[in-house]
Amino acid sequence: MWTTEVNRKTTATKEQIWKLWADVPHWNVWDKNLETSELFGGFQTGTKGALKAVGGPKTKFVMTECTEFKSFTNSSFLPLCKMDFIHTMTETKDGLEIIHKIVMTGLMTFFFSKVIGNKIKVGLPVAVEKLIEVAEMR
């Protein structure tokens, strides 16, 4: 297993964050590592989608968990490796805490963690900061 995680606090509301998360075609506004993303149905568990990372191939994903104003997980399947993109928010006394976590599992985790893991580790904090910046401007 390979994992990386970013936690940040924000003054944005859970509704503001949720609106950005649910706007799949515009994920690239706050995640500059994405060229395109699309969802083939509603923002809910079971819906399939596709995204294209900058410099990467188009990849399919499925929404494996979705709890309104709390969390969602989209999972991609690489050869012998599953990638879970886990997004959660929790209200705390200090504001809303945003957590984005990526988990790779499977036989080829060692390979994919080397090939794309470092890029993910660099890009994830930038994406979360941009998400919060966009949400707080609204």
Side-chain angles (χ1 to χ4, degrees):
M1 182 172 82
W2 177 92
T3 187
T4 188
E5 179 178 310
V6 175
N7 301 14
R8 296 289 187 272
K9 294 275 201 296
T10 179
T11 58
T13 66
K14 61 185 178 184
E15 291 83 6
Q16 289 168 312
I17 296 294
W18 189 259
K19 186 174 182 177
L20 292 171
W21 281 350
D23 187 9
V24 177
H26 294 105
W27 280 354
N28 62 358
V29 168
W30 53 268
D31 188 345
K32 297 303 181 185
N33 286 323
L34 288 179
E35 284 184 24
T36 62
S37 50
E38 56 189 324
L39 197 61
F40 309 123
F43 193 71
Q44 60 192 22
T45 303
T47 302
K48 294 179 180 176
L51 54 82
K52 184 178 183 318
V54 173
K58 192 171 187 177
T59 306
K60 295 177 182 177
F61 70 86
V62 63
M63 300 281 292
T64 52
E65 185 276 329
C66 190
T67 305
E68 190 172 27
F69 303 123
K70 287 197 176 284
S71 62
F72 81 94
T73 300
N74 57 297
S75 301
S76 295
F77 302 90
L78 305 169
L80 300 177
C81 182
K82 178 182 172 193
M83 290 182 65
D84 292 315
F85 297 80
I86 304 161
H87 310 78
T88 60
M89 62 176 139
T90 306
E91 291 179 286
T92 72
K93 63 181 172 107
D94 300 323
L96 194 63
E97 181 180 31
I98 306 298
I99 302 169
H100 283 199
K101 180 177 183 178
I102 300 173
V103 178
M104 288 187 208
T105 55
L107 292 175
M108 293 297 288
T109 297
F110 74 94
F111 174 76
F112 288 110
S113 65
K114 301 284 188 246
V115 172
I116 59 177
N118 285 337
K119 186 175 182 179
I120 290 170
K121 278 190 175 190
V122 170
L124 191 60
V126 176
V128 174
E129 293 290 344
K130 185 67 176 178
L131 171 75
I132 288 170
E133 177 186 317
V134 172
E136 289 178 351
M137 288 188 331
R138 292 185 177 193

